Amino acid sequence: QVQLQESGPGLVKPSETLSLTCIVSGGSINSYYWNWIRQPPGKGLEWIGYIYYTGSTNYNPSLKSRVTMSLDTSKNQFSLRLSSVTVADTAVYYCARPSVAGRFDFDSWGQGTLVTVSS
Amino acid sequence: EVVLTQSPGTLSLSPGDRVTLACRASQSVSSNFLAWYQQKPGQAPRLLIYGASTRATGIPDRFSGSGSGADFTLTISRLEPEDFAVYYCQYWETFGQGTKLEIK
């Protein structure tokens, strides 16, 4: 059973860049679409984007200008960078993987990490 | 872009009740990519149903999904205390806004 674990700073200042990493264990990163999803406090889920194991990416159009995803196959991990953050970017950030390669329903999730944007 | 609208926003029910949650898409979508999740406070979402009607691994058979085109439903045949949570539908990168089941 694959396990995902997010890591990164819990506090980021406005206008700075949010950086998170998702460590994948119990399975190889060399397949699947690897996703980031966020959830502002008390609100619903928002898909941020994915990076495919080949390195190709697809981002939510509403965030595309500020998002960069990358992966490190040697460390079995992938990363999210979100630039020019504002308080509206305060959220729990999850990494997630689809249940089957080629599908887009997520059966594997990290536990989530709260990132607060505040000066 | 597909928009998913879930109804109702909140339901107050009792253990043992039967409940049906609705998810309506802004256009006809492929049922192959319609999923349902359960989320409890402080936890990541849990996949319940994929392909509109297939239960994910380990999901009790009191959960069932159905629908096609633009209208989909999640039914819980008999609510257990642990089923009180927020439920989301998803189509590809789009999530519905959620339906909260609360104890009456």
Side-chain angles (χ1 to χ4, degrees), chain A residues 39 47 94 103-104 106, chain B residues 37 39 50 88 90 92-93:
Chain A
Q39 185 172 38
W47 177 78
Y94 295 100
R103 288 219 313 260
F104 215 68
F106 308 115
Chain B
Y37 299 83
Q39 187 179 34
Y50 63 90
Y88 295 95
Q90 176 214 4
W92 281 104
E93 72 276 14

Side-chain angles (χ1 to χ4, degrees), chain A residues 11-80:
Chain A
L11 180 64
V12 181
K13 289 182 168 55
S15 80
E16 295 189 346
T17 296
L18 177 161
S19 295
L20 296 174
T21 295
C22 181
I23 299 170
V24 180
S25 59
S28 173
I29 202 170
N30 288 317
S31 59
Y32 296 96
Y33 296 93
W34 299 95
N35 292 260
W36 289 98
I37 295 160
R38 70 180 183 178
Q39 185 172 38
K43 297 188 177 180
L45 301 164
E46 180 181 33
W47 177 78
I48 301 171
Y50 68 66
I51 183 164
Y52 196 39
Y53 75 99
T54 58
S56 65
T57 56
N58 187 21
Y59 302 143
N60 186 322
S62 69
L63 299 169
K64 187 174 183 177
S65 63
R66 300 193 291 129
V67 172
T68 304
M69 294 183 186
S70 60
L71 57 78
D72 186 335
T73 55
S74 66
K75 294 182 179 179
N76 227 37
Q77 63 186 41
F78 61 106
S79 299
L80 167 71

